[in-house]
Amino acid sequence: MSRIERMTITMPAEMAALVKSAVEAGDYASTSEVVRAALRDWKTKRALQIEELAALKADIDAGLADVAAGRVKDFDTARIVARGRKLLAARSPSV
């Protein structure tokens, strides 16, 4: 069985009211249960953010490696903008 540790937290009155309301509505048995559920959600969201950041860093590293190896093309802003406009026009109806 996991060890239980008591904590005291401070939050804005609006958040406290939301927590109490969830308990009063019967969605949760206690304020502690609300906080535990919120922390589980935060933990999941944080893990996803860390994964996404790692993927972004890997993409940046791959791009920098391409530059270092000379695997680059000239940056043509007009071509990129034209392609973006073409893709946008193809997926959204004219207004």
Side-chain angles (χ1 to χ4, degrees):
M1 180 175 216
S2 65
R3 199 175 117 238
I4 302 292
E5 184 174 334
R6 178 180 287 282
M7 299 180 84
T8 300
I9 61 170
T10 304
M11 66 180 70
E14 296 82 15
M15 285 184 168
L18 286 171
V19 170
K20 290 175 185 176
S21 176
V23 174
E24 290 167 2
D27 296 333
Y28 296 89
S30 67
T31 55
S32 292
E33 191 177 301
V34 176
V35 173
R36 283 191 297 269
L39 286 171
R40 281 190 296 273
D41 289 346
W42 171 80
K43 183 179 174 183
T44 301
K45 182 179 176 184
R46 182 67 181 139
L48 182 59
Q49 289 173 333
I50 290 170
E51 286 177 20
E52 290 172 347
L53 184 58
L56 181 59
K57 286 180 179 179
D59 287 346
I60 290 169
D61 288 344
L64 292 173
D66 284 345
V67 170
R71 295 184 299 263
V72 295
K73 294 181 180 178
D74 289 333
F75 188 81
D76 183 352
T77 306
R79 181 180 57 82
I80 293 169
V81 170
R83 181 171 181 252
R85 287 186 176 145
K86 181 178 177 182
L87 290 171
L88 183 60
R91 73 172 209 198
S92 61
S94 298
V95 178

